[in-house]
Amino acid sequence: MVGNGWGFLIECYILPPDQGYKMKKMLTDMERKIIKIYYGILHDRELKSLKSFDIDGLAEELKKVEEQMSGFNKDYSIKWAKHLKKYENDIEFFEYSIELLGVSVRFLQKIYLFENDLTGLSEEERKYLFVNISEVVKKHEKLLLSFYE
């Protein structure tokens, strides 16, 4: 009982967990993975390159990021969590990042699921698809760079 009290005090005032740092790290790692997948698709100009990536694992990772954000928001609202106040300006950025990652994960899942249907696209449709994918990559690269600003 006394040990739990000391542990609580240490975590609250001396060594509180920096969930904002962990949040940034998780988002950065996931951004890198998604960019790598998109680069693979753009390089090969084939949707079959998706088979070499773990898209379901990416969806699981997104769930962990969302859980981390939920924990961050919960701890941020606690009065004693003053160490998290330095991330006050980043909260909207975190939420935007998670939303963009979610869109990309769902998009990749759909491409993976309907790969056979997409292989029958005309040359013009394929060009349009890859141009749009390259635009998505630019957005993710911009987002990744903003983690370091």
Side-chain angles (χ1 to χ4, degrees), residues 17-29:
D18 191 349
Q19 291 178 334
Y21 171 79
K22 186 175 181 183
M23 190 75 216
K24 277 187 175 184
K25 174 137 179 50
M26 290 174 81
L27 288 170
T28 303
D29 292 345

Side-chain angles (χ1 to χ4, degrees), residues 10-146:
I10 289 172
E11 188 173 305
C12 288
Y13 298 106
I14 300 172
L15 297 170
D18 191 349
Q19 291 178 334
Y21 171 79
K22 186 175 181 183
M23 190 75 216
K24 277 187 175 184
K25 174 137 179 50
M26 290 174 81
L27 288 170
T28 303
D29 292 345
M30 195 160 176
E31 277 295 335
R32 286 189 178 125
K33 288 177 185 177
I34 285 181
I35 289 172
K36 183 179 177 181
I37 292 170
Y38 280 133
Y39 275 152
I41 293 170
L42 291 173
H43 179 266
D44 297 341
R45 291 284 188 205
E46 290 290 329
L47 300 175
K48 293 178 184 173
S49 62
L50 271 177
K51 296 232 186 266
S52 62
F53 295 103
D54 183 17
I55 304 300
D56 291 333
L58 208 56
E60 288 298 317
E61 192 171 340
L62 179 63
K63 285 180 186 174
K64 289 178 185 175
V65 169
E66 289 169 342
E67 289 170 4
Q68 176 66 24
M69 186 66 194
S70 175
F72 175 83
N73 283 334
K74 187 174 123 187
D75 285 353
Y76 181 80
S77 65
I78 296 174
K79 185 178 180 180
W80 57 261
K82 293 180 177 135
H83 66 288
L84 295 178
K85 300 301 180 200
K86 64 184 174 186
Y87 297 106
E88 185 173 9
N89 296 333
D90 293 334
I91 292 174
E92 286 182 22
F93 178 69
F94 290 163
E95 290 169 349
Y96 169 77
S97 300
I98 291 169
E99 188 175 325
L100 181 62
L101 290 169
V103 168
S104 277
V105 167
R106 288 187 298 277
F107 176 69
L108 291 170
Q109 285 174 324
K110 283 189 173 54
I111 289 177
Y112 186 79
L113 186 64
F114 297 109
E115 175 199 343
N116 293 333
D117 297 336
L118 294 171
T119 55
L121 295 175
S122 70
E123 190 59 38
E124 186 176 320
E125 291 169 328
R126 288 177 62 76
K127 181 181 176 186
Y128 182 73
L129 175 66
F130 288 116
V131 165
N132 284 318
I133 289 174
S134 67
E135 289 298 315
V136 170
V137 170
K138 288 177 189 174
K139 297 290 184 205
H140 279 285
E141 287 174 334
K142 187 176 180 181
L143 181 63
L144 184 62
L145 288 174
S146 58

